[in-house]
Amino acid sequence: MTDKREAVKKLFTAKSSRVETNKGDVYYQRLYAQCKKRIEALKTLEPFGNKLELQDLLSEEGVDRRDFMKWVSATTAMLMLPSFFEPLVAEAAEVMNRVPVIWIELQDCAGNSEAFIRSDGPKVDEIILEIISLEFQETLMAAAGHQAEAQLHDAVETFKGKYLLFVEGSIPTAMNGFYGTIGPSGETFEEHLTRLSKDAAAIVAVGSCATFGGVPAAAPNPTGAKGVMDIVKGKPIINIPACPANPANMVGVILHYVLTGQIPELDSLLRPKFAFGYRIHDNCERRAHFDAGEFVEEWGDEGAKNNFCLYKMGCKGPMTFNNCSIVRYNEGVNWPIGVGRGCIGCSEPDFWDKYAYERPMADANIKAPTGGVEKTVDEFGLGVLTATAVGIGIHAAASALAGKKSDEGEK
Amino acid sequence: MKSGYKKVKRMTVTGRTIHWINAFSILAAVITGLYIAHPYYQTFIADPAVDKYVMAWNRWVHFICAIILDVTSIVIAYLYFFSRFEKPYKKLIPTGKNIKEFVEVLLNLLTLNRRKNFDSSHNDSFNIVYFTIMHLLLAWMLLTGLQLYVHGLESGLSSIGNWWPAMLHLVTDWTIPVTGGTLMDVRISHHYTMWWIVAWVMFHIYYQVWRTIYWQEGDMAIVFGGSKFKKEE
Ligand code: SF4
Ligand code: SF4
């Protein structure tokens, strides 16, 4: 009997998209000990290529200890760790340059690289991304051509099985992949990715393009663009979608890896739950206006001036999972909804085709699921109704003309 | 009762209660659902947000109706097979007899009551097939609706326990890949299906009125009093 009850309990508490913020003391004590050991081990290693020390860099950029500790506690909370992990997180941030990172760029706009290097005063996240041992990053490095090839080759050889491979951009597959080739050898993006992922410890797909194909994969997808998880098999993959991916989440994933030696807990779309476990809508500052039925009806109207909900302007917050409503962008300065623009669901699969239209579903031109003609769901529905009404009308008129009696009678 | 007619019992009290609960729940769900999809009446912009929960009330009504429909659906599913009165599933099995009856009832409708070669005093297989389609549509609405709903409980907690969101995920997560891979597809499908249900209801009302007028057996009375009338042989 108890066995049965246990079995039922297990079935109904199966791994779902549930976000568990408290896993119990025993779990955290064990995790703490494990992290401690790992960091001690990392400390004994020489930093790889990048010899910069975090503390020096921080003070050079005018970030004092207090700012850093603030960042530490925010990041600890973001990773859903109890506050007694804070000293460990601080230590982990200092040894982040012991984990080598290779960053490749495929079919994309470099927006994710831009996201973490563009800001007027660098914030802790960005400084940390500077200190990680970035062994290879085409956009940021000085080397080019054969020289860059050689550098990549070196990095892969030296850090075989140890490096994190960050991938930005989608992978074109149409025309044998010749929409995107790289380097003097003319290797296609797909070959490039497959080759580099072979020796990676884990692959982190950054941004909407690398995760789910993003804008390049939008209909009609001429280049046959795909996300990393459709190409690479048999390796741990972490997806950090969004357009661009939030630097806080990139740092979070690296930090989690440095701290625990493992990838964070993922949801069914391989997104880390600490970042993508929550719906924008549930943490949105305009939510009270949503419940009140107060909507912006037009750009710049009274509602817009009063920060009403953007649902009728096409906000897709109710269907989008991301932590921008909590972490925000640019070190918490603001985020799309904060500036008065609805969410376009950039962290969801197929976001460009299925989320980015600028009106609520009932008001937008959505591609009919049958493909082909663009029409809204409601226009189609009205069509169904009209057809039914016409059918009924014809039948009713004919019945009235034909009279009431059945002439065959019943048998 | 008109002379020469006998009374035929067609619907139990339970059956009629369920029918009307469903009818009103669907009506309310359609009205509130249209609001949720696209808030169509303006709230007074000058009013402060305090104490005014227009969307919240619409969602509340929508969810309560959905839960009521869930429960009646379970009852209907049970009665479908185990009713002591009439077991609808028996008319669904594609036996020669049922297929013939289905075709005859359809022909009766298409020939504008020119031929009527079936026993109209009991539930016929055309009506049952029709009735089943409605309940499949409703089941689909419930599954997609609960899928959209459960994402508001992402903490995995709910006021009635953790089993509830966990169970909803277990039972409805498959609707995402089936509809096309994203939550938006589930939403579109949920919305589309509403239109089919409205069209179904339209035909249903028409057909029952039509039967009442042309068969002259008081079919309309079934859903009020539980019985219709049949000419004595
Ligand atoms: S602005 Fe968007 S996310 Fe915020 S409450 Fe409105 S619909 Fe939800
Ligand atoms: S608010 Fe929406 S569209 Fe904007 S960054 Fe966040 S997930 Fe992307």
Side-chain angles (χ1 to χ4, degrees):
Chain A
M1 190 65 207
T2 39
D3 268 7
K4 231 184 228 163
R5 200 176 300 155
E6 276 306 303
V8 171
K9 199 169 135 200
K10 217 168 133 206
L11 181 68
F12 285 127
T13 49
K15 200 175 162 213
S16 67
S17 39
R18 165 166 190 184
V19 184
E20 209 154 5
T21 48
N22 186 353
K23 294 185 173 146
D25 286 345
V26 182
Y27 173 87
Y28 290 115
Q29 294 297 350
R30 191 157 16 91
L31 185 66
Y32 189 89
Q34 182 194 325
C35 294
K36 183 103 197 142
K37 224 164 88 203
R38 171 152 168 100
I39 290 177
E40 292 307 326
L42 283 176
K43 268 188 187 160
T44 63
L45 293 178
E46 271 292 297
F48 294 123
N50 198 339
K51 299 279 192 309
L52 294 171
E53 281 304 323
L54 179 64
Q55 289 312 329
D56 301 344
L57 209 62
L58 284 175
S59 57
E60 218 172 88
E61 298 287 359
V63 178
D64 61 18
R65 186 76 193 162
R66 208 166 151 264
D67 290 334
F68 177 62
M69 287 323 287
K70 267 206 244 165
W71 174 86
V72 165
S73 64
T75 303
T76 310
M78 181 178 93
L79 292 175
M80 296 181 180
L81 296 170
S83 55
F84 70 87
F85 271 74
E86 281 175 20
L88 273 191
V89 169
E91 279 179 53
E94 279 158 24
V95 295
M96 264 169 95
N97 54 357
R98 270 74 162 179
V99 173
V101 170
I102 292 180
W103 182 301
I104 57 171
E105 235 183 286
L106 306 174
Q107 188 173 238
D108 73 321
C109 69
N112 298 288
S113 303
E114 296 277 345
F116 76 80
I117 59 167
R118 287 286 163 113
S119 61
D120 52 358
K123 300 297 188 304
V124 181
D125 284 330
E126 286 121 3
I127 296 170
I128 287 185
L129 284 170
E130 237 172 86
I131 178 171
I132 59 170
S133 180
L134 207 47
E135 298 305 322
F136 184 83
Q137 221 282 18
E138 285 131 338
T139 318
L140 304 181
M141 66 192 202
H146 287 289
Q147 216 186 340
E149 283 274 286
Q151 196 171 329
L152 178 60
H153 183 80
D154 276 356
V156 173
E157 286 306 312
T158 323
F159 306 115
K160 241 187 178 133
K162 294 203 194 89
Y163 61 88
L164 290 176
L165 180 67
F166 272 64
V167 183
E168 181 181 3
S170 64
I171 302 95
T173 58
M175 218 170 73
N176 293 325
F178 283 119
Y179 278 103
T181 62
I182 197 161
S185 64
E187 190 180 29
T188 66
F189 285 171
E190 187 169 351
E191 290 160 352
H192 191 57
L193 172 65
T194 318
R195 175 162 68 89
L196 294 178
S197 35
K198 227 178 38 242
D199 296 318
I203 298 150
V204 187
V206 188
S208 293
C209 303
T211 49
F212 311 124
V215 176
N221 192 1
T223 64
K226 285 185 175 167
V228 171
M229 65 178 176
D230 299 320
I231 304 281
V232 178
K233 302 285 171 218
K235 280 277 167 185
I237 297 175
I238 307 155
N239 281 336
I240 313 181
C243 193
N246 200 324
N249 296 339
M250 303 185 209
V251 172
V253 167
I254 304 174
L255 195 64
H256 191 284
Y257 183 74
V258 170
L259 197 60
T260 64
Q262 288 160 3
I263 61 174
E265 197 181 343
L266 306 176
D267 72 4
S268 58
L269 293 167
L270 307 182
R271 304 178 292 192
K273 282 188 185 177
F274 73 77
F276 299 93
Y278 297 100
R279 201 165 56 147
I280 304 257
H281 187 58
D282 294 321
N283 297 294
C284 175
E285 62 237 29
R286 300 181 187 233
R287 179 59 191 266
H289 293 293
F290 174 85
D291 286 333
E294 296 175 325
F295 303 101
V296 175
E297 304 278 337
E298 210 180 298
W299 300 121
D301 67 4
E302 270 313 295
K305 285 177 194 151
N306 285 297
N307 298 330
F308 282 6
C309 169
L310 295 159
Y311 186 58
K312 286 184 84 170
M313 300 311 287
C315 179
K316 302 297 182 295
M319 287 144 277
T320 306
F321 290 78
N322 202 343
N323 58 354
C324 18
S325 52
I326 309 168
V327 176
R328 304 183 162 214
Y329 275 84
N330 302 331
E331 196 81 358
V333 171
N334 215 334
W335 68 301
I337 289 173
V339 301
R341 182 66 181 78
C343 166
I344 56 171
C346 72
S347 55
E348 295 298 315
D350 296 340
F351 94 93
W352 192 259
D353 291 336
K354 290 177 180 167
Y355 289 75
Y357 46 83
E358 307 209 341
R359 283 281 156 182
M361 195 177 67
D363 232 7
N365 263 339
I366 306 162
K367 254 213 172 106
T370 43
V373 204
E374 293 228 334
K375 54 187 159 187
T376 71
V377 179
D378 296 295
E379 275 167 15
F380 174 80
L382 224 50
V384 171
L385 277 199
T386 314
T388 314
V390 168
I392 287 175
I394 293 172
H395 192 266
S399 306
L401 285 175
K404 289 180 182 177
K405 290 282 171 206
S406 65
D407 44 18
E408 282 184 34
E410 278 169 43
K411 281 164 203 158
Chain B
M1 207 194 304
K2 264 203 275 182
S3 60
Y5 280 84
K6 70 168 193 284
K7 204 169 172 181
V8 191
K9 180 145 167 73
R10 281 289 298 276
M11 248 176 141
T12 59
V13 179
T14 324
R16 279 176 278 150
T17 315
I18 291 177
H19 174 269
W20 289 113
I21 289 178
N22 276 1
F24 287 115
S25 299
I26 291 170
L27 183 70
V30 168
I31 293 171
T32 52
L34 283 171
Y35 179 85
I36 295 165
H38 186 221
Y40 52 84
Y41 50 85
Q42 178 57 287
T43 44
F44 304 103
I45 273 182
D47 246 27
V50 202
D51 253 15
K52 181 177 71 174
Y53 296 112
V54 183
M55 176 58 92
W57 278 114
N58 271 284
R59 294 179 72 230
W60 185 83
V61 171
H62 196 76
F63 295 157
I64 295 292
C65 289
I67 292 292
I68 293 173
L69 275 168
D70 281 345
V71 174
T72 55
S73 298
I74 293 168
V75 178
I76 290 173
Y78 172 80
L79 292 178
Y80 218 86
F81 297 99
F82 303 112
S83 169
R84 284 193 297 142
F85 182 60
E86 273 179 354
K87 295 182 182 46
Y89 84 93
K90 285 193 172 163
K91 291 271 183 184
L92 257 192
I93 308 166
T95 58
K97 192 164 157 277
N98 282 343
I99 293 174
K100 186 169 174 292
E101 189 180 55
F102 180 93
V103 173
E104 280 301 336
V105 181
L106 186 64
L107 284 177
N108 169 261
L109 177 68
L110 293 179
T111 61
L112 315 172
N113 205 25
R114 281 282 160 283
R115 54 186 282 165
K116 191 150 171 269
N117 301 328
F118 57 94
D119 175 12
S120 63
S121 58
H122 285 281
N123 225 345
D124 54 79
S125 49
F126 180 80
N127 227 14
I128 295 288
V129 166
Y130 188 56
F131 168 90
T132 307
I133 289 173
M134 172 63 157
H135 288 92
L136 290 176
L137 289 175
L138 281 184
W140 180 243
M141 285 311 259
L142 298 175
L143 290 167
T144 50
L146 288 170
Q147 167 61 213
L148 294 172
Y149 165 77
V150 70
H151 289 292
L153 306 172
E154 64 260 46
S155 58
L157 312 171
S158 84
S159 57
I160 51 171
N162 305 353
W163 63 274
W164 172 235
M167 187 189 78
L168 292 185
H169 276 296
L170 202 70
V171 181
T172 67
D173 277 359
W174 60 272
T175 57
I176 302 182
V178 164
T179 49
T182 71
L183 257 193
M184 187 56 86
D185 294 298
V186 178
R187 201 175 156 94
I188 290 176
S189 178
H190 190 74
H191 201 84
Y192 255 121
T193 311
M194 174 206 69
W195 288 110
W196 288 108
I197 288 178
V198 174
W200 188 99
V201 169
M202 231 161 109
F203 175 68
H204 169 66
I205 297 173
Y206 170 73
Y207 190 36
Q208 299 313 322
V209 172
W210 185 86
R211 282 184 169 198
T212 312
I213 296 175
Y214 291 95
W215 291 0
Q216 300 213 317
E217 293 169 357
D219 284 78
M220 227 30 191
I222 297 173
V223 80
F224 298 100
S227 344
K228 65 178 273 181
F229 302 93
K230 189 75 185 61
K231 213 180 196 141
E232 298 245 67
E233 296 297 317

